[in-house]
Each structure stands twice: as C-alpha cells, then as structure tokens.
Amino acid sequence: MSTLGYAILGLLAAQPQTGYDLAKLMRAPIGYMWTAHHSQIYPELARLEDEGMVSAAVIDGPGPRDNKRYQITPAGRRAVQDWVDSPLTEVARSEFMLRVRGLWLLPPERARAFLLSQREWYESRLATYAMEEATFLLEADAVDDPTSYLFAEYATLRYGIMRVRETIAWCDWLLDRLDRFQPIAGGSPAATSLVAGPHAADSS
Amino acid sequence: MSTLGYAILGLLAAQPQTGYDLAKLMRAPIGYMWTAHHSQIYPELARLEDEGMVSAAVIDGPGPRDNKRYQITPAGRRAVQDWVDSPLTEVARSEFMLRVRGLWLLPPERARAFLLSQREWYESRLATYAMEEATFLLEADAVDDPTSYLFAEYATLRYGIMRVRETIAWCDWLLDRLDRFQPIAGGSPAATSLVAGPHAADSS
DNA sequence: TTGTCCATGTAAAAAGTTACATGATTCG
DNA sequence: CGAATCATGTAACTTTTTACATGGACAA
C-alpha cells in the first residue's frame, strides 16, 4: 500500500467522501503536509476498493459518469491504524533549503531579495493558519479529546504554525547576517555607523 | 532542467566531484534537505554534460569503467545562479504529519509511544547536527562571508537545527496534551493528583 | 576469504505531474 | 451566454525508488 492510499484512508476514517471531495482536501488543509492531484486519487480509490479497504455507493449527481461516495471498511480502518504508528523514517526534501545552499553564488543584494520574498510568502501562510486556528477554538471540547479527529487536525495545524513562525525567524536571522558582513574595502562606513549599535554577540 | 540537475550544479559550483562523491553528498549533509540515489545521479550527469552544463575529465581509478571527475562550466554556473532566486512555491510533504493526523484512531497509549519514538529520533538527529556545527565554528571567517559556500551551508544547518528543536518541543506539547485528557469515568484519580499541579492555562 | 568501500552504470517499477476529455449545474 | 464549480476519468510524461550488474582494492 502506498502512502497516498493511507492518506486517503485517514480522511475516510473521519467521514465518507467522494473522490472530488478528497481531491479538495488534498489541497487544504491536509495539503499543507501532503498533496495529490485528482488524477492520482481516482485510480488509487479504485485500487483501495479492489483490496477491500473502501466501499463505494453510487449517488446521484451531475455529469456523464456515476458519482460515488466512498466509505472506509473495517479492514481499511485496521490498515490505517497499523500504518499510523509503524516505523517511520522521513526523506527530507526542501527546495527552499536547496536554493539557500546556492545563495553564496548570488550577489548579496539578490540573495537578500530572495530571502525577503520567501519571508513574505511565509507571512501570508501564517495568516491563513491563524484563520484556520480560529475555527478550532470554537470547538474546544473535541479538540481536547485525543480520540477525536479534531484533536489530531489541531495538532498538525499547531505544527504548521510553529514551523512557519520559526522559518520567518530564521529568515530574519540570515538577513541580519547578510547585512552585517562588510567587505574590508567597504564603501561608506559613515552610512552604517549611524545605525550600527553593538556588533558584538554574534553567531552560535 | 530538473531540480536534481540544479542540486548537482550547486554542489559542483563549490568544487569538482565524481558521480560517486555526489551520491555521497546527497546522503549527508545535503541529504538533510534533498536526496537522490546514484541511479538517478549518473544519468542526470550525462544529461547535464549533453547540455553543456558540466564537463567531464577521465581520471584513473578502480573498477571496470572509466572514472570521471565532473566540473561545472560557465553556462552551468549561470544556470544555477538564475535558478537560485527564481520564483519558488514549495509542495509540502510530511509523512510524519500525515501519521499525526491519524493519531486519533489509535488508543492513546499507542499514540504516546509513537510520539516518543519520533521524539527520540529527532533527538539523535539533533546530536548529529551539533557535531556538524562544531566543524563550522572552526572556520568562523568563511562562515561570515555571504559569498563563501560555507556561509550558505551553515545557514541550512542552522535551519535544520532550529527545525529539529522545534519539532521536539512540539512533541512535548502534544504528549502533554495527550496525558492531560482524562475520560470522565477515570480509573485511579489519586495516582494523577499526586503530580497534578495547576491544570489551568491550556490551549491557544 | 569474506566483507566493505570505491566507482559506474542499466532496468524495471512506483509515484507524482501535466494535459486531455466529457458534460451537467449554477451564478453573474 | 460565458465562466466557474461539480464530478470522474484516461494518457503521457517526469521523477524517484528498488533491484540487478560488474569488478578492482584493501582490511580483518
């Protein structure tokens, strides 16, 4: 079974969904930690049905084809449960950090501009998260119950918020380091000394 | 050009490498933000050579085939430079958070055990990072120069450290929430009240 | 002499992205 | 009446993973 299969089962464990619904959920909010296009979801649902992990009920709806509501089966539920806490070793993939690793190749102004644009993007993501968090606080009871899916959803949201906040702080740290460095044959020392302050307590 | 292509060019920009060397680097330390198997690297190097991004020099070495040292070309250098600060929108993929989203399906003890095992893994990763950081502090001068590749490498390392630290803190936060919740028909209240303390200031 | 590291490749399969295709409803 | 949303699928392509394959050097 693929990770995507488990991702789908995890969503269906909370409530029945159509393939279309799942595709939407895979954009947001689950999309902040996993994504999939509908072209990947529909075949996967068919496979999950073959394996008895989900069952489909034809419902009436628009369009040329049957509309189906998928439901998790007891076998499917057992499968996700076993997967959730099975051994995990993550493969990290951050194109952002890959870019950062190449920042030394750019003139510092360009490096600075890049970091600022990324920082801005993370700020807007933080705003999105903040709005989502507000909806959780309305259902405080369920959020506290570890057997409610809201508990788990809220936990991932908090992770996202923390992650974004820290990334912004890291951008600031790096921007500061970028500004701090002055080539020995520096241009106008007066311009910097006005705002200088104590250059002291630096790295580590 | 693929992301992997740029990842390779980024490494070659610092110094010439063999395919084997690149494969090693793609495990650690770059492996903490991007990975690739040698079976992906060798064909990619051939493609980069076709496109004039790298040039290969046959060197003598063991084994049945030619050993080649790859070097970045001026065209290759321009290509990475342009890529580094080109617009970026990351696709998030965290299997860990996908698992967390399914934690509500498990009995709390199992959820707890899972979080603890992950926490432990992140602790060991933190130890690895700490050792790597020590090697940077020996070359303090280059680390401060934004045009040195050590500057960029150190920046990504700091990001990794920050990320892991926060993840550990988040695990603690969630473990605490998990422990805090008591089903109404609770078993032995005396056992918990001994260590209780103020249950007050909770979520948000 | 058995195992690990050096060193480079190919093949096959799985996963993910982008593009093509169909057609109803609903809103401006 | 055109555009967006609902709704489901297939095809082609790219990227990533896993497995197969070869053979020298060197250390336990």
Side-chain angles (χ1 to χ4, degrees), chain B residues 169-190:
Chain B
W170 174 89
C171 283
D172 289 336
W173 169 80
L174 190 55
L175 282 163
D176 187 56
R177 271 178 77 85
L178 215 52
D179 290 342
R180 226 167 257 260
F181 185 83
Q182 303 288 350
I184 311 300
S188 51

Side-chain angles (χ1 to χ4, degrees), chain B residues 114-132:
Chain B
F114 174 70
L115 287 171
L116 278 173
S117 76
Q118 283 305 117
R119 192 193 186 285
E120 207 177 321
W121 189 88
Y122 283 105
E123 284 278 13
S124 76
R125 169 55 61 94
L126 190 56
T128 310
Y129 281 154
M131 283 197 293
E132 260 175 62

Side-chain angles (χ1 to χ4, degrees), chain B residues 81-148:
Chain B
Q81 274 172 353
D82 288 345
W83 165 77
V84 170
D85 67 347
S86 65
L88 166 67
T89 35
E90 279 223 79
V91 196
R93 248 174 225 294
S94 163
E95 183 165 351
F96 181 31
M97 280 307 116
L98 209 52
R99 303 277 191 105
V100 168
R101 236 195 119 104
L103 278 183
W104 65 283
L105 293 161
L106 298 184
E109 326 77 88
R110 266 176 76 183
R112 206 188 137 67
F114 174 70
L115 287 171
L116 278 173
S117 76
Q118 283 305 117
R119 192 193 186 285
E120 207 177 321
W121 189 88
Y122 283 105
E123 284 278 13
S124 76
R125 169 55 61 94
L126 190 56
T128 310
Y129 281 154
M131 283 197 293
E132 260 175 62
E133 194 178 19
T135 70
F136 277 100
L137 299 179
L138 299 173
E139 293 165 286
D141 296 345
V143 170
D144 286 336
D145 178 1
T147 61
S148 156

Side-chain angles (χ1 to χ4, degrees), chain A residues 187-199:
Chain A
S188 51
T192 44
S193 67
L194 282 171
V195 286
H199 253 217

Side-chain angles (χ1 to χ4, degrees), chain A:
Chain A
M1 270 263 290
S2 65
T3 307
L4 174 63
Y6 290 115
I8 291 173
L9 288 179
L11 289 169
L12 292 179
Q15 55 176 308
Q17 311 270 6
T18 66
Y20 187 83
D21 293 334
L22 291 167
K24 262 195 301 185
L25 290 169
M26 284 291 190
R27 267 174 274 153
I30 223 196
Y32 302 137
M33 43 220 67
W34 202 264
T35 45
H37 296 264
H38 75 272
S39 57
Q40 213 186 342
I41 290 167
Y42 288 113
E44 188 65 36
L45 279 169
R47 258 196 40 208
L48 287 170
E49 200 183 358
D50 279 352
E51 289 168 13
M53 300 289 166
V54 302
S55 64
V58 174
I59 56 174
D60 62 324
R65 269 170 298 273
D66 275 353
N67 289 217
K68 295 172 218 161
R69 162 138 55 248
Y70 288 92
Q71 220 178 339
I72 195 166
T73 62
R77 193 170 285 265
R78 272 193 304 274
V80 228
Q81 274 172 352
D82 287 345
W83 165 77
V84 170
D85 68 346
S86 65
L88 165 68
T89 35
E90 278 223 80
V91 196
R93 252 175 221 293
S94 164
E95 182 165 352
F96 181 31
M97 281 305 116
L98 209 51
R99 303 277 191 106
V100 168
R101 237 197 119 104
L103 278 183
W104 65 283
L105 293 162
L106 298 185
E109 324 80 85
R110 267 177 76 184
R112 207 187 135 68
F114 174 69
L115 287 171
L116 278 172
S117 76
Q118 284 304 118
R119 191 192 187 284
E120 208 176 320
W121 188 87
Y122 283 105
E123 284 279 13
S124 76
R125 169 54 61 94
L126 189 57
T128 310
Y129 282 154
M131 283 196 295
E132 259 174 64
E133 193 178 20
T135 70
F136 275 99
L137 299 179
L138 299 172
E139 294 165 284
D141 295 346
V143 171
D144 286 336
D145 177 0
T147 61
S148 156
Y149 73 92
L150 286 169
F151 175 90
E153 254 182 64
Y154 183 63
T156 60
L157 178 61
R158 291 292 299 190
Y159 184 81
I161 290 172
M162 171 209 86
R163 194 109 118 52
V164 169
R165 270 201 200 129
E166 287 302 307
T167 302
I168 291 169
W170 175 90
C171 284
D172 289 337
W173 169 80
L174 190 55
L175 282 163
D176 187 55
R177 271 177 78 84
L178 215 54
D179 290 341
R180 226 167 256 261
F181 185 82
Q182 303 289 350
I184 311 299
S188 51
T192 44
S193 67
L194 282 171
V195 286
H199 253 217
D202 197 8
S203 61
S204 153

